Amino acid sequence: MILSVIFVLISIASTLGLYFGLSLYKNWIYFWVIPVGLIVFFIAAFGLSVIYLIVNSLFMSSTKPIKKPSKYCLRWLQQYCFQFLFWMNVHTKYVGFKEIDKKKNYLYIYNHKSNFDPIMLISKVRGKDLLCITKPENMKIFVCGKFLHNAGYLPIDRQNDFNAIKTIIQATKIVKSGQASISIAPEGTRNKTDKILLPFHPGALKISQKGGCDIVVVGIKGAEKIKKHCIIIPTKCEAKVLTIIKNEDIVKNGTVAISEKLEGIYKGYLEK
C-alpha cells in the first residue's frame, strides 16, 4: 500500500512538473498530458522499482544460512505482493483480520487452491512479521527467491519426511522465540483436484502446539480464478478469518482432533 502511495505521488509530481514546466497549461489542447502523464509516470515509477530490486538481488546470497529474518526483505515482499494483486486486477474482501492482535505471534493456516493464496495473506497481515513455509521451487524464482531466502522463509521438502520435520521444528522455534508468525497450508500442497479440500496433515499444527501460539484459520475463495481472468477481467476474492484456535485447545485435544475439526470448518465455509 505504501509503495502505491509513493508511485502516485511521483506520478503527480512528475506530471505537474512537465505540464507547468513546459507551460502547457497556456493552451487547453494539451490538457490530455495530465491523465496520460499520470499513467505513464506511475508505470515508470513501478518499472524503476523493479530494476532497483533486480540490482539489489545481485548482492544477496541464496545459500547463506539466515540467523535473523531481514525486515528489509520482508517489507519489500509485502509491498510487492500488494502490487502484484493490484496489477493482476484482483479485488479482495478481507474479513475478520481486525480481530487479530498485532502484538502476538500466530500460526496462520489457509486452504490452498491457488498459487495466489499466500500472496493474498502476505499482503494483508500486519503487526508481527510473517514467515511462510513454502515449496523449495519458490526459493529458485528469479530475484524473488533471494528475497524469500533472506526474509527467512522456510522451504519444506515434501518428499522427505525427516527434512519436513526439521522445517516444522525450525518454524516452531521461531514462533516460540517471539521472532515472527508462521503461515502454512495444512493440505501440504496446492489442491489441483475437483475436491474442495485435500486431507490435512496434523503435523503442521505442531507449530502451534509446541510453539505456544494460537492458530488463525483463514479461508480463501476465488483465488483460483485469477489466472483464468488474466488481468482483463477483475477477480473478486475473499480472505476470511474463520476462527482462532487457542493454543490451550490444541495442547489439550491434540493435533489430530483439531485437524479434523478444522477440516469441518473449512468444508462448511467452502461449500457455501
Side-chain angles (χ1 to χ4, degrees):
M1 182 64 182
I2 295 174
L3 204 57
S4 295
V5 172
I6 293 173
F7 291 162
V8 169
L9 292 176
I10 290 174
S11 64
I12 291 174
S14 300
T15 300
L16 293 179
L18 177 67
Y19 191 69
F20 289 101
L22 297 179
S23 300
L24 300 179
Y25 64 91
K26 293 181 179 180
N27 193 331
W28 66 268
I29 199 172
Y30 293 114
F31 183 77
W32 60 269
V33 171
I34 294 179
V36 173
L38 289 172
I39 295 172
V40 170
F41 283 118
F42 184 91
I43 295 173
F46 174 76
L48 287 173
S49 72
V50 172
I51 293 173
Y52 168 78
L53 293 182
I54 293 173
V55 174
N56 210 227
S57 70
L58 298 176
F59 301 93
M60 291 182 179
S61 171
S62 59
T63 56
K64 185 179 178 181
I66 301 300
K67 294 181 180 179
K68 186 178 180 181
S70 166
K71 289 188 178 295
Y72 173 80
C73 291
L74 283 166
R75 297 296 172 266
W76 272 109
L77 285 170
Q78 186 181 55
Q79 291 298 321
Y80 260 81
C81 281
F82 181 90
Q83 287 297 314
F84 187 77
L85 295 174
F86 170 80
W87 289 103
M88 290 297 291
N89 203 5
V90 178
H91 304 272
T92 306
K93 179 182 179 183
Y94 291 99
V95 182
F97 282 82
K98 292 182 180 179
E99 300 172 13
I100 298 172
D101 187 346
K102 295 181 180 180
K103 296 180 181 180
K104 293 177 63 176
N105 288 317
Y106 293 98
L107 171 64
Y108 288 83
I109 65 170
Y110 57 93
N111 56 299
H112 197 13
K113 193 73 174 175
S114 164
N115 287 326
F116 297 97
D117 299 327
I119 295 176
M120 293 168 62
L121 191 59
I122 294 166
S123 69
K124 181 60 180 178
V125 173
R126 299 290 186 271
K128 287 286 187 177
D129 293 331
L130 178 66
L131 308 184
C132 298
I133 293 178
T134 185
K135 60 183 180 182
E137 293 86 345
N138 288 340
M139 310 300 281
K140 300 176 182 178
I141 299 174
F142 177 64
V143 179
C144 181
K146 287 187 175 182
F147 274 85
L148 294 176
H149 174 73
N150 287 276
Y153 280 38
L154 305 173
I156 187 166
D157 187 351
R158 295 167 297 181
Q159 308 304 319
N160 186 308
D161 290 342
F162 179 74
N163 289 337
I165 291 172
K166 286 174 62 178
T167 300
I168 296 297
I169 292 173
Q170 187 180 358
T172 302
K173 290 179 179 178
I174 290 173
V175 172
K176 195 170 186 177
S177 68
Q179 209 171 10
S181 292
I182 296 290
S183 77
I184 189 172
E187 293 168 276
T189 186
R190 182 160 58 93
N191 182 4
K192 301 176 184 178
T193 71
D194 293 330
K195 299 178 180 179
I196 60 172
L197 199 70
L198 295 178
F200 277 14
H201 294 266
L205 306 184
K206 288 286 185 181
I207 299 170
S208 167
Q209 186 186 50
K210 301 297 184 181
C213 66
D214 298 341
I215 304 174
V216 178
V217 184
V218 181
I220 296 176
K221 287 182 178 180
E224 69 277 6
K225 299 176 183 177
I226 297 174
K227 188 176 180 180
K228 297 175 183 178
H229 291 177
C230 196
I231 303 175
I232 299 172
I233 303 173
T235 306
K236 291 184 179 181
C237 301
E238 180 181 81
K240 183 178 181 180
V241 176
L242 303 179
T243 187
I244 296 178
I245 304 293
K246 297 295 182 181
N247 172 254
E248 49 264 32
D249 290 340
I250 195 166
V251 170
K252 178 182 177 181
N253 298 300
T255 57
V256 175
I258 295 297
S259 180
E260 291 173 354
K261 177 181 177 180
L262 288 172
E263 284 191 41
I265 291 172
Y266 272 108
K267 287 177 180 178
Y269 169 70
L270 296 171
E271 288 173 349
K272 290 181 180 178

